[in-house]
Amino acid sequence: MASTTFIKLILVIVTFSVIVIWGAFGTVSQAISTSEVALYENEAVYQVGQDDYVGSETCKACHEQQFDQVAKTIHGKLGELTGWKGKVVGCEACHGPGREHVEGGGDRTKIKIFKEMDTKAVSESCLTCHAGRENHNNFRRGDHFRNNVGCTDCHSAHGSTFGPEKAGSITFANDASRDRPTLASRAMLIAAEPQLCMSCHTETKAQFSKPFRHKVLEGTMNCSDCHNPHGGFESKQTRVALGSDQSCLRCHTQMQGPFAFEHAPLKTEGCGACHTPHGSNNPKMLKRSSVRQLCLECHTNIVNVELDPNIPTGPHTQTSIRTQNCTVCHSQIHGSNSNKDFFR
Amino acid sequence: MISIKRKNVPLRELCCRPAMSLSIFVALIAFAFSATAQSPTPTPEDRFTIKGSTEIGARWVDVEGSENKFRSDFNYKRGFRVFDSGLTIEDTSKSGSKAFDALTILGSGWGADPNGYFRANMERDGYYRFDANVRRVVYFNNVNNHAVGNDLRNLHNSDRRRNFGDLDLTLLPQNPNIRFRVGYSFNFADGTGSTSTRISRGDVFPAFQDVDYTANDFRVGADGKVLGFNLSGTYGYRSFKDRTRFFVNNDPGDVTTNTIRINSMERTYPIDGETHFGVFSLNRTFAKVFDVTAKITHAAVATDFTFDEVVNYFNSTNVNVIDTYNAVGDSKRLQTRADLGFTWRIADKFRVSNTFNFDGFNINGGNIYQFVGVPGSTTRQLNYTATRYRRYTNTLEGDYQVNNRFGFNIGWRYTHREVALGISTVNFGTSIPAIVPEEAENSTHSVIFGTKFKPTSNWTVFADVEAGKADNVFTRLANYEFANFRVRSRTHFNKFAVNFSFITKDNDNPGQSVTAPTASFVTEVRSRIFSSSVDWNPIDEVSITGGYDYHWLTSEVSVLIPLGGPATAGLSQYFVRDNYFFIDGSFRPHPRVGIFGSFRWNKDNGANVAIPPLGSSLIFSEYPIDLKMPEVRGTFRLNRYMDWSVGYQYFDYSELTPQQVQYGIAPQNYNAHLPYVSLRIYLGRAAMDR
């Protein structure tokens, strides 16, 4: 039954895809701006001086500050690299051909000005080159793009600029500054993690300040250790470890299993079924302060069909503190190789 | 108090040791100094541009109150440490044989701090990029209100050190046609801790641990472009093993009024495992209007294990007994994920996207198990388990950008899930019957709507809502019927940046109890989070950041609770009423003086609900805390190359949980004083530009 459903779904999607592809190559493409001529992104067809491209050195005449800033970044150095010779690089790779802009004395209507574009249009410009990398190739279907958070909300295509050094905490990671190097400048971010992410996701700062937490504010972990800010196929843009495992198992290797006796929700629901991954007042970052709540709220309704389908399995009498702490006996709760009740 | 037992350090761990990291830092500092010393004032002819600083110092720690809780929360110790340090070296020459264009090294927390990291990025444009991220975490956990036995002893605690790191090399990183990747990751943990064990239902005992588990990951891959398609392939391998030893020596158990006590227990539980996985993805954008990405992943994970335990104990009739447990077996998991997504830009302002995901795995495991109790009492069993999981998800959405100030998206998500669990246990020597699995499946739908609008050019509002059913085939904790709403506002004017957000999450899971199928049996979880922050930078010399968060959560779940007899219908309640306030300020009243002040306050007041008596069918929990973290610091510029800092940090923590009240367990309050002093040394251009 399930395999039939799966096959049907695949057929529907393939059919829909064929229709869409046919439509995309057909009359619909005429709706696209006439300036986008290349069949593939970044097709090597334009040379400096040909057609409408004038070269970045021409831009420098009026935009010297931006030119000098970009020249220090990989964006500015691409033309020197093998594989990029003859391709459009530099200012016009993003802002479009500049000949009409120059001949119009700086006519703003003849050049792409990103401040005046909507977020998705800005991102499309970046994706012209950056879409192919595995880290980025699902950006258009990620939560950020869906919610109109684009590339330039986190990155600066001209290169990072940071303010002066200022006194900061000895314990928690400080803002990036021009006087102290960070990896933010290597990725051309407008701020370093975690401050960059927390500028929007403000509620996470409180979560990472709780007693039991991942050490993000201390700088030991970054948001991007667990989340892919460029999207991906997982919910909440989480990363996968080892190809298919949830990102927690990248570090918490002892929970990976597989075990002879699995605690099934760990694999089907994920670690988030019981734990709060950012931070919690509760020990072990559990979702409940009392362990028995966590167990009872599921096991009240679960039966053991081998014993009796009419009687729920689960808790012993809840009149002693020991039986209220289920994992005192069921200690190998993440999975056991020796005992089906996780006693050992 | 559990102490760390230091073992002989294998070679593999040397890179993570503070002394080794410090040595690397000192060498780099010496190099940077020599390069700087040769030319105090950089000239265009200087080949290396160096910028960086390192901060070294000492922290004093004095804890009043529960040191175990302080260590469980923060674990700072007295002593020398390397604080926030970083170095960038750029080779500005045009030489074709230079080793790198830029080298960036960051580090912090090495020495007396529980969390340290070392990050490096070295690259030569067009040739290679090398990234390293090495971390060490000392994890201490010993609290009195988790995993507590009848004698109120905490049975689960940890004092372990984990060293883990990722090293990745990409060849030809900017090449649009072909790139190669190779990577290695390690994850080593050792130390001590305790878990718990039992002989029968009569007693539980702390089982001490010598923790030892390791994992080594290798991966190779390539990315490239073929016939217009962006292709990426990766093969990965993990080898992991667990050699943790468990033991008990002379323990009476958590019930001291009976005769059950353990003389000795020794358990070895070696596990060896391997993971092989492959990932292949392709992406292409057709005519800049149709983007498609497909990805397939297959992973095979297998473990082999043995289990040997010998327990020498006195039973309930004061007879000395020796029990032995043995098991040998293996387990395998095969998992496949397939994802297909496309986006069709129908018009400049209108897009349609569809994402299809498949995730399926089978886990099959088993063991041969033998238990020998009193003489003549032997149990031998064959155990076999099977877990099967399939999930299909399809998300269809469209978004329309009305103009530069307003856009919205709408979508629909369908998920179908199937789970089957089976277990078979037979006595050794009998044939294994076919497993009759317990199966569950469901199909769920949810809708998505989101918008972004800009009322003014400097004010942006995001809002999105998702509602429907999702996840949760047979558990009751996660989403089922849910409605999540989120709104964020970002605005900046003059020198202010002001952010607000409000998030609501409503989850319901109406269910039935098998013993009372007509009774209402509900799960209701309501969460509300308000968050705000203000940044003010009127001048370069002044910076103030502050904010306030409030998290309100109420969870009510119907449960069945045995209270010495048949299970009684009851209610499980959980509350969060958490306030978080912070303010950070940096001032530079004089070019040579910098001042930093910070105050962070986390306070959960609890729901102000009467704590039910012991034996009640109402289970009630919350975790009221009051945690204040002020910090002040003064930084004084000694000269171009050095700043001297002195500071003080204070932690004030108090708590009172319902369980502590009910059982008379002392709250784990503490005050911690952490004065510190440090020297920041500036290198290269960072010094020249000061």
Side-chain angles (χ1 to χ4, degrees):
Chain A
M1 178 69 77
S3 59
T4 306
T5 306
F6 175 58
I7 291 170
K8 287 177 184 173
L9 268 173
I10 290 292
L11 286 174
V12 167
I13 289 166
V14 167
T15 304
F16 187 56
S17 303
V18 167
I19 295 170
V20 167
I21 293 170
W22 172 80
F25 274 109
T27 57
V28 175
S29 62
Q30 295 174 5
I32 302 306
S33 168
T34 54
S35 67
E36 293 163 301
V37 180
L39 186 61
Y40 308 132
E41 64 272 19
N42 209 40
E43 185 76 356
V45 292
Y46 295 109
Q47 297 287 340
V48 169
Q50 291 183 357
D51 296 302
D52 297 326
Y53 290 81
V54 297
S56 299
E57 287 291 336
T58 306
C59 309
K60 181 181 178 182
C62 297
H63 304 283
E64 184 171 2
Q65 181 190 355
Q66 289 90 334
F67 179 89
D68 290 341
Q69 190 178 346
V70 174
K72 298 174 189 171
T73 70
I74 190 59
H75 280 168
K77 299 175 186 175
L78 276 180
E80 304 165 12
L81 304 181
T82 305
W84 288 91
K85 302 252 188 258
K87 292 183 187 288
V88 176
V89 294
C91 309
E92 292 166 294
C94 300
H95 290 278
R99 183 168 298 281
E100 289 186 23
H101 172 69
V102 171
E103 292 174 352
D107 187 348
R108 292 169 63 90
T109 65
K110 302 298 183 189
I111 200 78
K112 271 191 190 176
I113 300 176
F114 289 97
K115 285 183 185 175
E116 299 171 0
M117 294 164 61
D118 67 79
T119 306
K120 288 193 166 73
V122 170
S123 299
E124 290 291 350
S125 188
C126 308
L127 290 168
T128 300
C129 293
H130 290 280
R133 305 290 173 121
E134 204 230 326
N135 209 29
H136 303 135
N137 61 15
N138 207 46
F139 181 70
R140 291 184 178 92
R141 291 162 289 280
D143 286 324
H144 276 155
F145 189 84
R146 175 186 301 132
N147 289 288
N148 277 281
V149 177
C151 308
T152 51
D153 287 301
C154 299
H155 297 274
S156 171
H158 291 178
S160 307
T161 54
F162 301 122
E165 174 80 5
K166 53 188 178 185
S169 171
I170 207 77
T171 302
F172 303 111
N174 291 300
D175 291 336
S177 77
R178 62 174 180 242
D179 300 319
R180 275 186 300 111
T182 73
L183 292 178
S185 55
R186 309 313 303 171
M188 298 167 70
L189 295 172
I190 59 177
E193 292 186 63
Q195 291 85 359
L196 175 60
C197 312
M198 290 181 180
S199 65
C200 279
H201 299 275
T202 50
E203 72 282 358
T204 57
K205 185 163 186 173
Q207 294 164 0
F208 287 118
S209 297
K210 293 185 185 290
F212 299 99
R213 65 203 178 279
H214 281 118
K215 306 298 192 283
V216 170
L217 294 183
E218 288 85 343
T220 308
M221 288 185 67
N222 287 324
C223 309
S224 55
D225 284 329
C226 300
H227 297 275
N228 181 356
H230 304 120
F233 287 105
E234 309 305 315
S235 67
K236 302 189 190 296
Q237 297 191 167
T238 53
R239 295 189 185 274
V240 287
L242 304 171
S244 59
D245 276 317
Q246 50 201 319
S247 63
C248 319
L249 298 177
R250 176 184 169 194
C251 298
H252 297 278
T253 57
Q254 71 275 26
M255 312 301 181
Q256 181 183 1
F259 301 97
F261 303 100
E262 289 280 350
H263 194 190
L266 184 67
K267 295 295 191 293
T268 62
E269 313 292 332
C271 307
C274 298
H275 296 276
T276 306
H278 287 174
S280 173
N281 292 344
N282 305 324
K284 312 284 186 183
M285 300 199 320
L286 293 175
K287 282 187 162 179
R288 299 286 185 269
S289 306
S290 169
V291 169
R292 64 169 170 165
Q293 284 185 297
L294 213 56
C295 310
L296 276 175
E297 291 178 12
C298 285
H299 282 274
T300 288
N301 253 9
I302 294 175
V303 298
N304 184 328
V305 294
E306 287 188 336
L307 293 178
D308 188 323
N310 296 313
I311 299 176
T313 61
H316 309 285
T317 178
Q318 294 294 292
T319 53
S320 76
I321 193 170
R322 181 211 298 160
T323 53
Q324 293 173 13
N325 287 286
C326 311
T327 54
V328 161
C329 289
H330 301 277
S331 56
Q332 304 304 309
I333 199 59
H334 296 109
S336 171
N337 286 323
S338 60
N339 186 278
K340 67 179 177 62
D341 297 314
F342 311 120
F343 292 143
R344 288 179 161 75
Chain B
M1 180 77 72
I2 294 175
S3 61
I4 295 176
K5 293 182 185 175
R6 302 268 174 170
K7 302 178 186 175
N8 290 330
V9 178
L11 184 64
R12 64 171 191 254
E13 289 194 37
L14 277 183
C15 63
C16 310
R17 294 294 174 179
M20 173 65 79
S21 305
L22 208 50
S23 303
I24 294 171
F25 239 91
V26 168
L28 284 166
I29 292 169
F31 169 76
F33 258 121
S34 70
T36 306
Q38 290 165 10
S39 180
T41 304
T43 68
E45 290 77 30
D46 281 353
R47 176 172 174 178
F48 293 103
T49 301
I50 296 166
K51 181 194 294 188
S53 64
T54 182
E55 185 168 4
I56 52 179
R59 192 204 303 268
W60 183 266
V61 178
D62 182 24
V63 180
E64 301 162 355
S66 174
E67 185 167 350
N68 278 344
K69 184 66 167 88
F70 171 76
R71 292 191 65 193
S72 301
D73 294 346
F74 298 104
N75 205 17
Y76 293 117
K77 294 181 179 175
R78 298 172 189 169
F80 169 84
R81 66 165 279 191
V82 175
F83 292 115
D84 181 23
S85 302
L87 180 72
T88 289
I89 304 173
E90 293 180 350
D91 187 341
T92 58
S93 76
K94 300 295 182 188
S95 166
S97 60
K98 57 182 177 179
F100 56 83
D101 287 304
L103 167 64
T104 301
I105 298 172
L106 307 173
S108 184
W110 297 99
D113 271 11
N115 315 297
Y117 66 84
F118 172 83
R119 297 191 176 108
N121 167 270
M122 187 162 74
E123 52 189 285
R124 180 157 178 214
D125 298 332
Y127 288 87
Y128 75 90
R129 183 179 64 236
F130 174 73
D131 295 289
N133 187 2
V134 176
R135 290 172 279 195
R136 181 211 61 192
V137 174
V138 179
Y139 174 64
F140 182 91
N141 185 277
N142 191 347
V143 295
N144 68 8
N145 53 4
H146 177 78
V148 174
N150 282 341
D151 59 354
L152 303 184
R153 265 192 301 178
N154 172 35
L155 298 172
H156 291 186
N157 47 61
S158 296
D159 189 2
R160 73 178 76 137
R161 181 177 48 247
R162 184 192 294 271
N163 298 305
F164 53 114
D166 306 291
L167 310 172
D168 289 281
L169 175 67
T170 305
L171 301 175
L172 311 176
Q174 289 87 20
N175 191 300
N177 300 314
I178 188 73
R179 300 171 292 279
F180 300 98
R181 291 175 280 108
V182 62
Y184 166 68
S185 299
F186 62 89
N187 195 319
F188 312 136
D190 63 24
T192 59
S194 75
T195 179
S196 48
T197 188
R198 47 170 257 168
I199 297 172
S200 65
R201 291 189 180 185
D203 259 295
V204 290
F205 303 82
F208 297 101
Q209 298 170 286
D210 275 338
V211 175
D212 182 6
Y213 45 85
T214 64
N216 290 283
D217 297 3
F218 302 89
R219 46 192 176 272
V220 294
D223 311 317
K225 179 175 276 190
V226 177
L227 299 177
F229 285 90
N230 296 297
L231 306 177
S232 176
T234 303
Y235 165 74
Y237 170 77
R238 167 178 280 184
S239 166
F240 59 96
K241 60 182 180 182
D242 190 335
R243 295 289 186 270
T244 301
R245 167 186 164 244
F246 304 80
F247 58 96
V248 182
N249 289 320
N250 291 318
D251 199 283
D254 71 326
V255 179
T256 55
T257 55
N258 60 19
T259 60
I260 301 175
R261 61 191 185 279
I262 287 182
N263 294 327
S264 68
M265 183 210 83
E266 184 74 25
R267 179 193 301 167
T268 57
Y269 191 177
I271 302 173
D272 292 274
E274 284 189 343
T275 302
H276 297 266
F277 71 91
V279 182
F280 177 76
S281 71
L282 67 84
N283 164 268
R284 181 164 172 176
T285 304
F286 296 89
K288 296 200 174 187
V289 299
F290 186 76
D291 169 86
V292 62
T293 299
K295 178 178 170 183
I296 186 162
T297 305
H298 184 71
V301 193
T303 56
D304 294 292
F305 54 85
T306 58
F307 180 96
D308 295 291
E309 178 176 319
V310 178
V311 190
N312 182 321
Y313 69 101
F314 284 87
N315 65 11
S316 59
T317 56
N318 210 25
V319 172
N320 187 213
V321 179
I322 296 177
D323 286 349
T324 64
Y325 303 83
N326 305 98
V328 61
D330 59 34
S331 187
K332 286 188 174 58
R333 172 164 61 96
L334 299 175
Q335 183 160 7
T336 300
R337 299 183 102 132
D339 306 290
L340 175 66
F342 68 78
T343 299
W344 176 20
R345 187 152 60 108
I346 299 173
D348 272 351
K349 297 181 184 299
F350 180 47
R351 291 173 181 80
V352 171
S353 294
N354 191 79
T355 307
F356 173 76
N357 310 97
F358 166 76
D359 184 12
F361 64 78
N362 291 351
I363 302 176
N364 298 288
N367 67 21
I368 301 172
Y369 172 83
Q370 174 175 285
F371 167 71
V372 178
V374 296
S377 163
T378 300
T379 301
R380 292 196 188 94
Q381 293 175 328
L382 289 174
N383 296 297
Y384 181 68
T385 65
T387 305
R388 182 177 182 274
Y389 176 80
R390 300 287 183 266
R391 186 191 74 204
Y392 312 87
T393 307
N394 194 75
T395 307
L396 178 65
E397 51 192 333
D399 75 72
Y400 188 75
Q401 195 70 34
V402 177
N403 53 44
N404 289 351
R405 288 180 180 264
F406 175 59
F408 66 90
N409 63 278
I410 187 165
W412 161 71
R413 180 174 292 131
Y414 167 79
T415 305
H416 178 80
R417 285 157 49 104
E418 301 164 9
V419 181
L421 308 175
I423 181 171
S424 172
T425 298
V426 296
N427 290 328
F428 198 75
T430 59
S431 59
I432 303 174
I435 292 180
V436 178
E438 189 179 344
E439 298 182 349
E441 68 175 81
N442 68 347
S443 297
T444 59
H445 303 263
S446 59
V447 292
I448 306 163
F449 176 78
T451 180
K452 170 184 173 182
F453 57 95
K454 302 182 72 168
T456 63
S457 61
N458 62 344
W459 183 18
T460 305
V461 179
F462 305 84
D464 64 294
V465 60
E466 186 167 349
K469 293 183 182 180
D471 301 322
N472 192 7
V473 176
F474 62 89
T475 68
R476 299 171 71 218
L477 289 179
N479 294 336
Y480 197 62
E481 293 181 354
F482 72 98
N484 299 340
F485 171 73
R486 177 173 54 184
V487 60
R488 296 193 195 279
S489 165
R490 301 189 68 191
T491 184
H492 58 92
F493 53 93
N494 293 333
K495 300 287 186 177
F496 281 95
V498 182
N499 296 329
F500 292 100
S501 69
F502 184 63
I503 301 169
T504 74
K505 294 183 181 179
D506 291 352
N507 293 339
D508 294 274
N509 190 352
Q512 290 175 317
S513 164
V514 294
T515 57
T518 60
S520 175
F521 216 69
V522 296
T523 297
E524 285 184 3
V525 183
R526 303 281 183 267
S527 171
R528 309 281 182 263
I529 302 174
F530 169 77
S531 176
S532 64
S533 71
V534 176
D535 294 273
W536 184 42
N537 292 276
I539 52 177
D540 280 349
E541 289 79 10
V542 177
S543 166
I544 297 177
T545 300
Y548 171 73
D549 287 39
Y550 181 65
H551 183 198
W552 180 98
L553 184 146
T554 295
S555 168
E556 293 189 331
V557 180
S558 299
V559 291
L560 295 175
I561 308 171
L563 295 169
T568 307
L571 188 67
S572 170
Q573 288 183 316
Y574 173 67
F575 301 100
V576 174
R577 302 285 187 266
D578 192 75
N579 299 269
Y580 177 73
F581 168 78
F582 75 96
I583 183 165
D584 297 343
S586 297
F587 309 95
R588 190 160 8 112
H590 183 275
R592 284 184 172 270
V593 177
I595 297 172
F596 169 77
S598 165
F599 182 72
R600 302 176 186 217
W601 188 7
N602 191 335
K603 184 172 173 60
D604 187 325
N605 295 315
N608 202 25
V609 174
I611 299 172
L614 286 172
S616 168
S617 61
L618 172 63
I619 307 174
F620 164 83
S621 82
E622 57 186 10
Y623 209 125
I625 70 164
D626 190 330
L627 173 60
K628 301 183 185 72
M629 296 180 280
E631 181 179 358
V632 293
R633 171 181 175 154
T635 299
F636 306 93
R637 174 174 161 159
L638 302 179
N639 56 41
R640 168 172 286 173
Y641 297 99
M642 282 190 284
D643 288 346
W644 178 74
S645 294
V646 61
Y648 172 76
Q649 194 170 15
Y650 177 65
F651 295 93
D652 180 359
Y653 176 84
S654 61
E655 66 177 25
L656 189 62
T657 68
Q659 189 180 53
Q660 289 167 339
V661 171
Q662 288 173 325
Y663 287 96
I665 300 172
Q668 304 165 107
N669 303 337
Y670 60 83
N671 302 304
H673 307 270
L674 287 81
Y676 58 85
V677 63
S678 68
L679 204 61
R680 179 172 282 278
I681 304 168
Y682 291 88
L683 310 164
R685 194 168 291 281
M688 297 303 120
D689 291 346
R690 273 159 50 87

